[in-house]
């Protein structure tokens, strides 16, 4: 799923609200809400490198609810999902593959879905910070910058993986070609 919103660069809050609504609509199709829904959200990337910090910045804005479900000993809720979130860092920070960290967490939490948010590499300068891509087939962190890390897929982490990405970097060669 690709949502293109070139007008995002204008800084108009109405445009931002429309994009948010479009993302929410598509995400609800990929992860339908139900009473027992459990979701793990992972912010992929390095929070100390601005163009790679989309994932960690997104997680800082997520409304985490798992602690409430634990505190009230609830299995479900008619209005909100059981949400946990993590910024697993990157291999250069942790020495551990992100997929390994998330696999262990999925084994422990048993979520219905993992939502991975990551920065993407653009091939076209016009897509930088104006395009949102979503998929239910997972993601290969670092692949856009030829830094191939272990894939995040249903097979590697143990639950469906929904990837959400925004192009925030571009190769110099692609920039020169444009």
């Amino acid at each position: 799923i690709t949502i293109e919103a070139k007008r995002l660069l204008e800084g108009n809050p109405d445009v931002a609200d429309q994009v948010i609504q479009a993302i929410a609509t598509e995400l609800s199709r990929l992860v339908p809400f139900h009473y027992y829904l459990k979701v793990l959200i992972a912010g992929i990337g390095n929070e100390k490198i601005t163009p790679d910090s989309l994932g960690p910045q997104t997680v800082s804005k997520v409304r985490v609810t798992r602690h409430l479900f634990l505190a009230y000993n609830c299995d479900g809720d008619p209005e909100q999902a059981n949400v946990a979130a993590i910024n697993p860092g990157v291999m250069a920070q942790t020495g551990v593959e992100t997929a390994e960290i998330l696999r262990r967490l999925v084994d422990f939490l048993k979520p219905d879905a993992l939502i991975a948010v990551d920065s993407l590499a653009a091939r076209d300068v016009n897509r930088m910070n104006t395009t949102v891509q979503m998929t239910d087939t997972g993601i290969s962190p670092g692949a856009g910058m030829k830094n191939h890390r272990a894939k995040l897929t249903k097979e590697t982490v143990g639950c469906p993986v929904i990837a959400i990405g925004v192009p925030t970097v571009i190769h110099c060669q692609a920039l020169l070609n444009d």
Side-chain angles (χ1 to χ4, degrees), residues 56-122:
Q57 287 184 34
T58 299
V59 165
S60 74
K61 297 176 183 340
V62 168
R63 182 169 179 231
V64 173
T65 59
R66 181 174 181 270
H67 63 293
L68 300 173
F69 283 79
L70 293 173
Y72 292 100
N73 197 25
C74 295
D75 290 335
D77 188 273
E79 296 179 14
Q80 64 185 350
N82 181 331
V83 178
I86 185 170
N87 288 326
V90 295
M91 182 89 159
Q93 294 172 311
T94 65
V96 181
E97 283 281 2
T98 300
E100 294 171 347
I101 294 168
L102 294 176
R103 175 63 194 217
R104 299 298 183 255
L105 200 50
V106 165
D107 286 346
F108 179 73
L109 297 175
K110 306 211 179 320
D112 297 302
L114 166 65
I115 299 174
V117 181
D118 198 3
S119 300
L120 303 177

